Amino acid sequence: TTSTVYFSSRDNNIYALQKKSGKVLWKFKMGNDIGKENYWDNYLSSPIIVNDVLYIGSGDGFLYSFNNRSGKVIWKYNSEARIRTTPCVFDNNLVFGNNAGYITNINCNNGALIWKFATYGLNNTFESKSNDRKSIYCSASIAKGVVVTGGRDGIIYGIDLKTGKEKWRNDHKGPWILSTAVKDETVYVGCGSDALLQALDINSGKEKWNYKCPSAIFSSITIAGDMLYFNDLHFSGN
């Protein structure tokens, strides 16, 4: 509701606070993080609310559906790997990526699997304090029947929302893909350590333009009117 603030935390809880007072209305303890500790595990899934239902991913591998007023679990889906992406909901589709390299689409009404897409990163391994080439931390965007997201395998994927089949890919040959946003038929992508903000045609994946930043883009992208807002990392702090 508009009077409540929701957020996730490293203590594995999701919290609902009264906006005016900060009073805890409810909280829910999700499970402990699964898998090996990841030096690059910098993100948490954020809650998204659609029609009074709150969806969020957890380090315990589950995608949770809550009644946002009571905090009661409606259903949960086991992806079997940490979920650090914020889920994207479009009609009855709920799409998210996990640390095993899968992009998954489930029915947001009951948590039933619709399709699962294996990224190239699925073939990679990760060793602590090395370069994570497997996980997906990029939250998806959906428009024109296309799911657009990317992984730490350095590839931006355009996936058919209905079938789960790949329509196109844009390979950055290394740098992580970390954020997307979409407007009309253009998808905007934040491309990690190659410090690139790209505009791609959502139907073909072809580049329309790019903007080179002074340093890596690890942030989300916000669209407001005809403006894009994002920040780069530590070299310039813009």
Side-chain angles (χ1 to χ4, degrees):
T1 63
T2 55
S3 61
T4 310
V5 177
Y6 303 89
F7 64 94
S8 55
S9 171
R10 283 285 177 183
D11 63 6
N12 299 320
N13 279 304
I14 178 169
Y15 292 89
L17 305 185
Q18 210 282 335
K19 188 167 69 174
K20 289 185 178 180
S21 68
K23 177 185 176 182
V24 177
L25 299 176
W26 60 262
K27 68 176 181 178
F28 181 87
K29 183 81 168 182
M30 296 178 284
N32 294 326
D33 291 347
I34 59 174
K36 294 181 180 180
E37 288 303 311
N38 183 333
Y39 179 76
W40 299 103
D41 191 21
N42 300 318
Y43 298 87
L44 289 178
S45 180
S46 294
I48 182 170
I49 298 171
V50 180
N51 297 327
D52 292 331
V53 179
L54 184 150
Y55 305 98
I56 192 169
S58 172
D60 65 8
F62 284 92
L63 195 295
Y64 288 86
S65 169
F66 292 95
N67 179 300
N68 75 321
R69 298 179 185 274
S70 67
K72 182 180 179 180
V73 175
I74 301 170
W75 53 258
K76 60 181 182 178
Y77 173 86
N78 188 6
S79 80
E80 300 180 346
R82 297 186 195 191
I83 302 171
R84 298 309 196 194
T85 60
T86 298
C88 182
V89 174
F90 187 92
D91 293 334
N92 291 331
N93 301 275
L94 187 153
V95 180
F96 64 94
N98 71 8
N99 282 24
Y102 283 104
I103 301 162
T104 302
N105 181 13
I106 58 180
N107 187 309
C108 63
N109 295 320
N110 56 21
L113 178 66
I114 299 174
W115 50 255
K116 184 184 287 187
F117 178 88
T119 66
Y120 178 78
L122 188 71
N123 303 306
N124 298 331
T125 58
F126 173 84
E127 297 297 330
S128 182
K129 297 191 178 181
S130 186
N131 190 16
D132 182 358
R133 307 289 294 147
K134 190 180 194 76
S135 304
I136 300 169
Y137 283 77
C138 178
S139 299
S141 295
I142 301 173
K144 305 297 180 181
V146 183
V147 175
V148 181
T149 188
R152 290 186 168 177
D153 59 4
I155 301 172
I156 306 166
Y157 297 92
I159 303 166
D160 187 286
L161 176 62
K162 186 176 181 179
T163 66
K165 303 297 184 182
E166 182 177 321
K167 291 175 66 71
W168 53 262
R169 66 170 59 186
N170 189 301
D171 192 346
H172 281 241
K173 308 293 184 182
W176 296 342
I177 310 304
L178 293 173
S179 54
T180 64
V182 65
K183 184 177 182 181
D184 301 325
E185 296 192 2
T186 303
V187 60
Y188 305 94
V189 185
C191 307
S193 57
D194 58 359
L196 208 62
L197 193 290
Q198 258 189 324
L200 306 177
D201 182 281
I202 198 166
N203 298 301
S204 67
K206 292 182 179 178
E207 183 178 279
K208 294 184 175 183
W209 55 258
N210 70 64
Y211 175 78
K212 185 73 174 178
C213 287
S215 68
I217 302 169
F218 274 45
S219 77
S220 299
I221 304 166
T222 294
I223 300 175
D226 61 354
M227 301 294 290
L228 296 174
Y229 296 91
F230 63 97
N231 62 274
D232 63 357
L233 200 56
H234 50 85
F235 301 117
S236 58
N238 293 311

